Amino acid sequence: MRPKITLALLLGGLGLSAGAQCPIKDEIIQGVPSESDAAANRPGQSDDHKPQAHKLKHKHRRHNNIDGLTGATAHADTLSRDRDEECIHHPSRAEEATDSYRQFRLGGYGESVAAFKDYGINRFYGGANGSAREHRATISIPRFVLALDYKFSTRWKLGAEIEFESGGTGQAVELENTENGEYETEIEKGGEVVIEQFYIDRLIHPAFNLRAGHMVVPVGLTNAHHEPHLFFGTVRPEGETTILPSTWHETGLAAYGTFGRGLTTFNYQAMVVAGLNANGFDRNTWIASGKQGYFEEDNFNSPAYVARLDWTGVPGLRVGASVYYCHDTSTNSDKPSSYGDMGRASLRIFSADAQYADRFVTARANIITGHLGNSRALSSYNGRQSSKSPYSRLTPVAERGVSYGGEVGLNLRGITGRKAMPEILPFVRYEYYNAQDKVLSPNLADDRLRTSMWIMGLNYRVGNGVVIKADYTTRSIGRGRYNSEGEFALGVAFTGWFFRH
């Protein structure tokens, strides 16, 4: 298929480098410059996004990278002090060794986006052509995040992030057990305030550390590396954030660390967290809306097991893979009787991603797919959910969803070698995604979910963690059977540490 050939060329031609969770912190671990620092100092990267109108209603949340205790060279120590503000969280890093802060630090990141679109708000309105031809514009603040780290001692550390999404306080949903499990929903304001991370770390050894609490689930490139500087577009990559929760964060226990040296250096994460809830699976977002969090407590009847491995043996290159497994998502439903004797609905998700960055070029690529067991029966049950529940009843739910994409950006200042030149990166990105890549008979897949898209634009890195973005997106829907969708967008984002002690 043409999209798969396109992705293969992107992956091969770009050197297939895994999306670094936070290049600045990663280079501290290895004691070598990463991405942009290979040649010159410059502001770094960070991110989070909510689906636009063409996408189906689906909340996205933010994620964090892991912290590792390991040695660092003098060069890396200096680099940490100069560039630490670029990434709020630090996937596999030597924070204690570099002493980038003594006891406490406070930072954050945020985004603002304006978009001008030539398509209507509903691709599924019932017409034969998909989205109606309309001209409209939107402006939003997808998120503002506050992050903090606090060291209780050299071995115990607190990490936390609070996200203010779309400037609101969200909605409250209650399950009234005294009324036979009736749903009660109160809408107060669009948006939400959510704890994205809240955990305690026990630092033991560079190769083995423990984390307990609420943390990011590192499945997919965007969840593992989601701050605004870690993707070129004005919003997060659309395919990943359609079929997976984003930023995906859950409560549980994790082990993480760094092992090996030189060409055989690896970072890993392994965790047990609350599993997804099959009540939220639907036609348009596959399993993405199955993230728990509507109620005060999450069901832990069938926990999820997550593992991620990143190879970082070559400076500037990262290749990673992750896997997610939940034995039975149906047992995490709001009510024990939701699925009766339907049988097990297991879920497996697989992802692979890569990033390469130096003074001349930054390239990223990723692929996500998975398998949902018993999807035919689950579709039947979900179509009969209460209209008062907070879940979509759109079915069928696919057995398999898929998303893949790749992007490459050129650093004009690095290419020309002129330090006085502004740091401008023209880029191009290709994505394909389909929330109904495989649907079991007698159900039929909806071709309007088959989306192929190109994004072209510029990033202007102003400095001190600020980036201005502009891009144009064009989508082909259902292999061109439906109206295409185009939009021009402008955005500004920042990431940095405001205070450290």
Side-chain angles (χ1 to χ4, degrees):
M1 288 176 13
R2 185 173 301 171
K4 293 186 178 179
I5 294 173
T6 303
L7 178 64
L9 291 174
L10 282 168
L11 286 170
L14 303 182
L16 199 71
S17 65
Q21 302 184 16
C22 177
I24 304 308
K25 298 306 175 187
D26 296 333
E27 69 193 31
I28 293 172
I29 288 255
Q30 300 172 50
V32 296
S34 82
E35 208 202 68
S36 51
D37 276 295
N41 287 336
R42 66 165 192 199
Q45 308 176 278
S46 148
D47 163 9
D48 204 321
H49 143 214
K50 198 174 190 174
Q52 305 164 1
H54 67 275
K55 292 175 61 179
L56 318 157
K57 272 253 194 194
H58 163 42
K59 292 271 185 184
H60 297 270
R61 299 166 168 86
R62 146 171 173 109
H63 130 264
N64 169 27
N65 310 320
I66 66 172
D67 308 88
L69 179 63
T70 185
T73 64
H75 166 75
D77 194 35
T78 302
L79 188 56
S80 168
R81 292 192 297 270
D82 293 342
R83 306 296 309 288
D84 195 41
E85 52 276 358
E86 299 188 11
C87 294
I88 293 304
H89 275 278
H90 4 87
S92 308
R93 76 166 184 215
E95 179 176 80
E96 320 315 307
T98 57
D99 286 329
S100 60
Y101 69 103
R102 187 173 66 85
Q103 188 171 35
F104 174 78
R105 65 179 175 182
L106 175 69
Y109 70 89
E111 304 163 83
S112 180
V113 178
F116 306 87
K117 309 173 184 182
D118 69 1
Y119 58 93
I121 63 172
N122 187 2
R123 190 185 300 169
F124 304 88
Y125 73 104
N129 298 321
S131 296
R133 286 297 182 199
E134 297 178 6
H135 291 285
R136 58 194 178 91
T138 61
I139 190 165
S140 66
I141 300 176
R143 63 193 46 80
F144 170 66
V145 175
L146 290 175
L148 64 88
D149 289 320
Y150 179 80
K151 297 178 184 177
F152 297 102
S153 69
T154 58
R155 294 294 179 179
W156 292 92
K157 184 172 72 68
L158 166 71
E161 287 185 16
I162 300 176
E163 179 190 49
F164 301 84
E165 183 178 286
S166 302
T169 55
Q171 69 176 15
V173 180
E174 295 183 359
L175 190 63
E176 294 293 338
N177 293 317
T178 58
E179 299 175 15
N180 298 317
E182 287 295 322
Y183 291 105
E184 288 190 1
T185 305
E186 240 178 70
I187 305 293
E188 297 179 358
K189 190 170 185 286
E192 67 179 3
V193 177
V194 62
I195 295 176
E196 287 200 340
Q197 299 190 80
F198 177 72
Y199 56 79
I200 301 291
D201 278 353
R202 173 63 167 102
L203 302 174
I204 300 171
H205 185 274
F208 183 76
N209 304 281
L210 294 176
R211 171 171 294 174
H214 198 70
M215 64 199 97
V216 168
V217 178
V219 175
L221 177 58
T222 301
N223 278 315
H225 321 280
H226 54 273
E227 291 138 322
H229 289 76
L230 295 179
F231 55 90
F232 288 126
T234 51
V235 296
R236 293 181 173 185
E238 189 170 293
E240 284 187 85
T241 54
T242 295
I243 68 169
L244 293 182
S246 177
T247 300
W248 193 352
H249 44 91
E250 303 284 6
T251 303
L253 178 68
Y256 63 90
T258 300
F259 62 92
R261 58 186 302 175
L263 291 175
T264 58
T265 301
F266 294 88
N267 302 322
Y268 76 91
Q269 301 176 66
M271 56 182 66
V272 180
V273 295
L276 293 177
N277 175 1
N279 287 155
F281 300 168
D282 67 17
R283 175 192 72 179
N284 297 334
T285 61
W286 193 42
I287 55 86
S289 299
K291 186 190 181 312
Q292 299 192 65
Y294 280 115
F295 309 105
E296 291 85 354
E297 298 175 330
D298 290 347
N299 287 324
F300 202 60
N301 297 315
S302 182
Y305 303 91
V306 184
R308 181 176 178 90
L309 182 68
D310 286 295
W311 173 60
T312 59
V314 175
L317 176 65
R318 174 180 302 274
V319 178
S322 56
V323 60
Y324 174 99
Y325 174 71
C326 182
H327 182 70
D328 188 0
T329 57
S330 70
T331 64
N332 292 325
S333 61
D334 300 345
K335 307 173 186 179
S337 59
S338 292
Y339 294 102
D341 58 355
M342 178 191 77
R344 190 162 60 93
S346 62
L347 175 63
R348 297 174 178 85
I349 304 172
F350 310 95
S351 76
D353 52 73
Q355 173 173 294
Y356 177 76
D358 60 22
R359 62 178 292 187
F360 307 111
V361 63
T362 298
R364 305 180 183 96
N366 73 287
I367 184 168
I368 299 167
T369 188
H371 179 273
L372 174 62
N374 215 359
S375 62
R376 185 188 293 109
L378 192 148
S379 296
S380 176
Y381 277 80
N382 280 9
R384 302 195 300 265
Q385 288 187 123
S386 167
S387 60
K388 295 182 179 180
S389 76
Y391 308 107
S392 163
R393 290 177 291 160
L394 294 173
T395 58
V397 182
E399 182 179 75
R400 181 178 67 221
V402 68
S403 169
Y404 53 82
E407 64 184 9
V408 58
L410 302 178
N411 191 327
L412 299 185
R413 187 172 72 181
I415 291 172
T416 61
R418 301 173 63 179
K419 293 184 178 180
M421 180 180 179
E423 190 169 20
I424 298 175
L425 291 86
F427 74 91
V428 61
R429 176 176 179 83
Y430 173 79
E431 282 193 67
Y432 172 85
Y433 65 94
N434 187 355
Q436 289 192 330
D437 189 60
K438 181 180 180 181
V439 173
L440 299 182
S441 63
N443 297 315
L444 298 175
D446 192 324
D447 219 30
R448 290 170 294 184
L449 292 166
R450 188 192 299 263
T451 305
S452 176
M453 56 192 291
W454 286 95
I455 306 99
M456 294 154 284
L458 293 171
N459 279 197
Y460 171 32
R461 291 175 177 163
V462 180
N464 298 319
V466 177
V467 60
I468 298 172
K469 302 181 179 185
D471 58 34
Y472 177 76
T473 299
T474 179
R475 301 181 191 85
S476 174
I477 311 300
R479 295 178 178 173
R481 290 177 52 198
Y482 302 92
N483 287 339
S484 61
E485 299 174 354
E487 66 185 75
F488 172 71
L490 294 169
V492 60
F494 81 92
T495 179
W497 295 106
F498 311 140
F499 170 83
R500 69 187 76 203
H501 169 68

